[in-house]
Amino acid sequence: MTTDITKAAGITPADPRTTLLRWVTVAGGLATLASTFLAWTWTAEFPGDLTVTGYPGGLQVLTLVIGLLIAVFALASLGIKGLGWLAPAGSTKALQLLALGGIGTTWFTLIAITVELGGVVNLEPGGFVAAVASAIPVVTAYLLPDDTRKAARPKELPSWAEVLIIVAAFAVGLYVITYGIDTEYAELFTGYLITVSFAVAALFKAGLVARLSAVTAKYRQVTVIAAFVAAAAFPFTQSTDQYTLVAVNILIFATVALGLNVVVGLAGLLDLGYVAFLGVGAYTAAIVSGSTASAFDVHFPFWAAVLTGAVVSLIFGVVIGAPTLRLRGDYLAIVTLGFGEIFRIVMLNLDGTSGPQITNGPNGIPNIPDLEFFGYNFGESHNILGFELGAYANYYLLMLLATVLVVLVFSRAGSSRIGRAWVAIREDETAATAMGINGFRVKLVAFALGATLAGLAGTVQAHVQHTVVPEMYQFAGPVPPNSAFLLAAVILGGMGTISGPLLGATLLYMIPAKLQFLQDYQLLGFGIALILLMRFRPEGLIANRRAQLEYHETGQLDVPEQRTTDDAGVGTAKAGA
């Protein structure tokens, strides 16, 4: 009967047992989807209102999405015409990950209802249906044979079709990111993390991301424009500035993390006091931007304040780097850690009592005015293309331009002669010096460039938050930015890459911001994340090819077999020890 159904649907014949398992997986995905249209609890006290029959809400929407993906990928594994392009590298691994994501999201929701409302009695029959339905794909997906294969070359598509694929991919990405930032309660954000994590991992295993990467590499200019337009469109999707502020801070910290990536990722210099350069730029901008609490009666225009903050950070980078960069390894890390603490203590002491009256000590510099550029006040709402953009939306667009500038600097520097010298110093400073590279000068350039990029971001941060205080610039603290946060963003995301620190900073800022209870355990979370990453993906979430080859065995160094002769004079093979 199964064979008849398969032929009728136009599916490539396969082993009957495997085909049956795939059809059951399709049914499990559809059952998981259908269960979201049932009530999971009887009371609206649980956020998201999961009491409505016939209309999914809250966390049910995430289960619906993952159930749909399970069904679609299971149909693709059956060879349905038109769906094969979803899994060019095989569908079994992707189905397993999607099934885990489905049961993870669904059971997390049901457990949260039970714990928060006080017992299993608060679950409606729809909740039990969802629990059973989400377990079916897990069982069947892990019974399927592994069909992992090398992705075949895709069929050539017209240029307009490939451009549309790129645009659609960035549109979906914008929606997914916006959904995560706009989540209103911790339970929904936790479910979002579970769903997105397993779904993205499944897309990688299926080979769909690699195929999309090949298309974007073919149309690099279109990709860059689409990425910028998608990022710039974010504030136009917001009705208030509540979540736009989160996005602004993400861009600030991502930009600073990219600057640190120059120092750590390219040059291999372990800097534990990098947040001090962010503070130098912020304090400089606060002093020269006309704040009523500034010790100097000056008010620089926008461009002058930004340049002043960047230049002062550059000077500090050179002054601090010149005597310390002759050190290596742990010694350099200790010295940079000391510089970060010295900066914070000096800012505390410049209060008019312990030292000159410059920074107001622990009170900081408040009342920093909003930026104004050619009559455009960033602190006021503006109507653009019929959309009302608030103050934080203005700063978001400004910070987006700064991020683009930093990305451009990083990419150009990394591909230049000095960038290759940084990599050589990182891999083996002694060998690089023997080949004629001036190690001290190359490291000083990296240190100064990283400091300048951090100072640039600090000038914008001062105006966004309208105040700067010494406690904002510590090695570790409950609220980012801090040096530990920035270093973790670079390592988790992937050292030496552009998208890695951007992703790392986004995750490490959003998770504490959305899950408030984690702020008291931030360092614990960093430690656990780093341990897991070093165990399962030491090259980072997004790594370049060099790092993948360094951290994973490739078999290239295996000892070849040696030929020996036994007593009878017959040659036998013997594996090398």
Side-chain angles (χ1 to χ4, degrees), residues 142-165:
Y142 276 91
L143 292 175
L144 289 172
D146 188 2
D147 63 349
T148 303
R149 57 186 180 271
K150 185 177 180 180
R153 183 182 295 274
K155 180 182 178 181
E156 288 289 335
L157 296 176
S159 298
W160 62 266
E162 294 181 329
V163 171
L164 281 180
I165 290 175

Side-chain angles (χ1 to χ4, degrees), residues 187-209:
E187 294 86 351
L188 182 59
F189 182 74
T190 304
Y192 167 83
L193 284 180
I194 296 172
T195 302
V196 172
S197 299
F198 281 100
V200 171
L203 295 182
F204 271 98
K205 285 294 185 181
L208 189 59
V209 173

Side-chain angles (χ1 to χ4, degrees), residues 409-490:
V409 170
F410 182 90
S411 60
R412 295 296 183 183
S415 304
S416 66
R417 180 179 179 183
I418 188 81
R420 293 193 293 272
W422 287 337
V423 174
I425 290 291
R426 181 192 69 194
E427 297 299 324
D428 192 328
E429 184 173 350
T430 302
T433 303
M435 296 301 293
I437 296 176
N438 188 327
F440 172 75
R441 185 179 64 185
V442 168
K443 291 192 292 184
L444 185 60
V445 171
F447 209 73
L449 178 59
T452 304
L453 297 179
L456 177 68
T459 60
V460 180
Q461 184 204 32
H463 290 88
V464 170
Q465 299 189 352
H466 298 100
T467 185
V468 288
V469 292
E471 285 73 18
M472 295 169 59
Y473 309 102
Q474 306 179 57
F475 168 72
V479 180
N482 53 64
S483 292
F485 166 88
L486 295 171
L487 187 61
V490 173

Side-chain angles (χ1 to χ4, degrees), residues 79-114:
I80 298 292
K81 187 176 181 180
L83 294 179
W85 60 271
L86 284 174
S91 59
T92 299
K93 295 290 186 182
L95 277 173
Q96 292 171 355
L97 289 168
L98 289 172
L100 291 176
I103 196 172
T105 304
T106 304
W107 285 42
F108 162 76
T109 306
L110 300 177
I111 292 172
I113 293 173
T114 303

Side-chain angles (χ1 to χ4, degrees), residues 248 252 281-282 284-291 299-309 367-382 390-402 455-466:
V248 173
I252 291 174
T284 302
I287 290 172
V288 303
S289 293
S291 169
H299 189 177
F300 287 6
F302 160 71
W303 62 269
V306 171
L307 288 178
T308 303
N367 303 322
I368 302 173
D370 289 300
L371 292 173
E372 188 168 346
F373 189 58
F374 289 112
Y376 188 94
N377 192 310
F378 284 80
E380 298 177 355
S381 298
H382 298 273
Y392 292 130
N394 298 325
Y395 282 111
Y396 172 87
L397 295 175
L398 174 64
M399 201 59 225
L400 180 61
L401 293 176
L456 177 68
T459 60
V460 180
Q461 184 204 32
H463 290 88
V464 170
Q465 299 189 352
H466 298 100

Side-chain angles (χ1 to χ4, degrees), residues 190-245:
T190 304
Y192 167 83
L193 284 180
I194 296 172
T195 302
V196 172
S197 299
F198 281 100
V200 171
L203 295 182
F204 271 98
K205 285 294 185 181
L208 189 59
V209 173
R211 178 164 289 183
L212 180 61
S213 298
V215 176
T216 56
K218 184 178 179 180
Y219 299 93
R220 188 172 298 275
Q221 291 184 346
V222 174
T223 301
V224 171
I225 294 173
F228 179 79
V229 170
F234 172 79
F236 295 94
T237 65
Q238 305 296 302
S239 57
T240 66
D241 265 354
Q242 179 181 359
Y243 300 115
T244 309
L245 176 60

